[in-house]
Amino acid sequence: MAKVLIVGAGAAGLMAAGAAVRQGHQVTVLEHMDKPGQKILVTGKGRCNVTNDCPAEEFLRHVRTNPRFLYSSLGAFPPAKTMELFEGLGVELKVERGRRVFPVSDKAEEIRQALLRYAQDADIVHDGAKKLLLEEVTPEPEAAPAAPENPRHPKKKKAGPALRCIGVRGTSGREYRADAVLVATGGVSYPTTGSTGDGYKLAQQAGHTLIEPVPSLVSLVSHDADCKKMMGLALKNVTLTLFEDSKAIFDEQGEMLFTHFGISGPLTLSASSHLGDMKKHKYHAEIDLKPALSEEQLYDRITRDFALLANHAAQGALVKLLPSSMQPVMVARWGIDPATKANQITREQKRELVQLMKHWRVSIDARGDLAHAVITSGGVSVREVDPKTMQSKKALGLYFAGEVLDVDAYTGGYNLQIAFCTAQSFANHL
């Protein structure tokens, strides 16, 4: 039986605690928030998109950063096992569009409670982690080679970890000694839920490289005044294309939302994870408001609508084509005299309307802030972590799981599944 210390009682930490307890280990979890699992409550708009019901191979195609790192852990604990685990904990699940998996109750609290039940035999202590307790490892004497070494081609000797993690000093000053320490502190998104970047500081104490954390799966800021005019307008079944300079780098159909600061919603969150250095590149989005129709089909549809609404002014003629809050904005961007009757609108003007509806342009001026990002991209470099065991290559006895690692995926339940499978890998290799 090992003494296991887990820093962070979020999705990864609670999953690891429950799995480690079932392996017969003595588990202590440190959580600096008053209530464990806070971030779970804001996932999936409070409904908790717990995983994605797809095979491991398909899952990896939705992992944006370092998918190969997950081959082993996801293979051992795929989405099907996550679903089986939660159903075994009494949570009824349902699969929605895009294979997103939610509790039937649509309540994230049910998932949080299930994880707390899973980890109920662990000791959850209200304390943070200030410092890793590290000691130097004395290199073991090398055994004599079985055969004489060729002096022209000497074998490269890999240096093992020079440190061992033997515990943590809490923010309270108390020391917690352990055989294995798992850092499962999340990233730096939604800091009010406890993700304050503490895990990055702990990793650096052991000499780990940190990939700079940036917001991912985040709303996008646009200085386009039209967004504010349409704030609150949700568009369904539209296609959003994101351009870097003049090259399309993301294209997907789904739902999005105009806000007072720009655009948001599922499509926007997914598109945001494709943004690179905004100082080096210019970005803009184009929205196809009628992706089911070709330009010619849309032209014919507009012609039929305008014939039916012949005596209506330009805005009234758009009543069957666009939501009401978008109609005056479209007329203004179209540049047509609002008093123009539908039967006076020329072919050329209809062609211009087709272009606007198929290529509604929105400038992208900044990412939304880290505080409101769904996840953080960046974190502990996976080159310095064993993908099978999640153990640090810098310090024996130190492990990482979940969002603190430099692994992230698109929206759709993938990121929680990454937290769960990396946590299980840790527990199963103690």
Side-chain angles (χ1 to χ4, degrees):
M1 180 176 76
K3 282 185 81 174
V4 176
L5 180 67
I6 296 170
V7 184
L14 291 172
M15 179 64 79
V21 161
R22 278 156 181 74
Q23 300 288 342
H25 302 299
Q26 182 188 332
V27 181
T28 301
V29 185
L30 298 187
E31 174 53 57
H32 69 127
M33 299 294 284
D34 291 334
K35 191 176 174 184
Q38 289 270 56
K39 195 175 175 188
I40 295 164
L41 300 178
V42 299
T43 59
K45 293 181 182 172
R47 296 171 62 219
C48 193
N49 184 184
V50 75
T51 187
N52 192 288
D53 185 20
C54 66
E57 319 83 71
E58 188 183 328
F59 186 102
L60 290 167
R61 290 199 288 273
H62 295 269
V63 179
R64 194 187 78 94
T65 312
N66 297 317
R68 291 182 66 183
F69 178 77
L70 295 172
Y71 278 10
S72 178
S73 61
L74 192 67
F77 196 78
K81 285 204 174 178
T82 297
M83 293 171 73
E84 188 184 320
L85 175 71
F86 279 103
E87 283 168 344
L89 290 165
V91 180
E92 274 191 86
L93 298 173
K94 60 181 176 179
V95 181
E96 295 189 359
R97 183 183 56 78
R99 295 186 178 182
R100 290 165 160 86
V101 179
F102 292 91
V104 169
S105 66
D106 281 333
K107 289 176 182 168
E109 176 63 26
E110 192 179 0
I111 298 296
R112 191 181 81 90
Q113 289 296 339
L115 283 168
L116 287 169
R117 284 197 299 280
Y118 188 55
Q120 66 187 1
D121 291 329
D123 184 19
I124 299 180
V125 178
H126 184 234
D127 199 355
K130 192 171 186 179
K131 192 177 181 184
L132 295 178
L133 301 176
L134 299 165
E135 61 180 24
E136 289 187 15
V137 174
T138 309
E140 288 182 14
E142 281 187 39
E149 199 175 78
N150 183 339
R152 286 186 179 179
H153 305 286
K155 284 185 180 176
K156 285 186 179 177
K157 295 175 180 66
K158 272 191 177 178
L163 297 168
R164 180 186 300 279
C165 183
I166 56 167
V168 159
R169 180 174 292 118
T171 46
S172 64
R174 180 181 164 191
E175 287 193 354
Y176 302 87
R177 300 269 168 161
D179 304 305
V181 174
L182 173 69
V183 176
T185 50
V188 285
S189 59
Y190 283 107
T192 53
T193 64
S195 302
T196 50
D198 295 348
Y200 302 147
K201 294 170 195 164
L202 297 175
Q204 286 175 311
Q205 287 168 20
H208 276 277
T209 306
L210 198 63
I211 310 303
E212 186 187 355
V214 294
S216 188
L217 301 184
V218 71
S219 299
L220 296 175
V221 176
S222 174
H223 297 150
D224 183 343
D226 285 345
C227 293
K228 194 169 186 178
K229 289 174 191 169
M230 296 185 288
M231 63 184 274
L233 172 62
L235 297 175
K236 292 185 178 183
N237 299 319
V238 296
T239 297
L240 180 75
T241 306
L242 181 68
F243 290 85
E244 181 178 81
D245 300 322
S246 55
K247 183 186 174 187
I249 56 169
F250 171 86
D251 181 85
E252 202 170 288
Q253 190 171 335
E255 298 173 22
M256 61 158 292
L257 175 75
F258 287 105
T259 71
H260 66 286
F261 57 79
I263 55 174
S264 189
L267 277 182
T268 307
L269 298 184
S270 294
S272 72
S273 59
H274 291 260
L275 289 170
D277 188 338
M278 299 196 75
K279 290 174 187 168
K280 290 182 182 174
H281 301 283
K282 285 191 174 179
Y283 293 91
H284 77 273
E286 283 187 8
I287 303 159
D288 183 347
L289 298 163
K290 300 289 179 187
L293 302 177
S294 68
E295 291 191 2
E296 280 309 309
Q297 288 170 326
L298 181 56
Y299 178 86
D300 292 342
R301 162 79 191 273
I302 288 168
T303 302
R304 288 197 302 273
D305 277 11
F306 285 9
L308 283 170
L309 303 164
N311 292 315
H312 285 67
Q315 184 175 321
L318 301 176
V319 69
K320 292 186 174 184
L321 287 165
L322 295 170
S324 56
S325 58
M326 195 174 203
Q327 292 162 19
V329 183
M330 178 65 81
V331 170
R333 193 176 281 203
W334 192 8
I336 196 169
D337 182 345
T340 309
K341 293 278 196 289
N343 60 7
Q344 296 173 323
I345 293 169
T346 65
R347 284 183 184 179
E348 190 56 43
Q349 287 169 327
K350 283 189 279 187
R351 293 278 176 207
E352 286 167 6
L353 180 59
V354 167
Q355 288 304 306
L356 283 170
M357 290 185 68
K358 297 290 283 182
H359 307 277
W360 184 271
R361 187 182 171 110
V362 179
S363 64
I364 304 299
D365 300 300
R367 289 178 172 92
D369 62 2
L370 262 172
H372 297 98
V374 175
I375 59 156
T376 309
S377 179
V380 176
S381 171
V382 296
R383 291 183 178 185
E384 299 165 358
V385 178
D386 184 319
K388 283 186 180 170
T389 65
M390 300 299 138
Q391 183 167 220
S392 162
K393 293 178 182 178
K394 299 277 187 181
L396 295 170
L398 177 63
Y399 300 77
F400 299 95
E403 199 183 339
V404 74
L405 290 162
D406 181 29
V407 183
D408 64 276
Y410 301 128
T411 183
Y414 303 104
N415 291 290
L416 269 180
Q417 177 63 36
I418 291 169
F420 296 147
C421 71
T422 53
Q424 288 279 344
S425 283
F426 154 75
N428 293 329
H429 290 91
L430 284 170

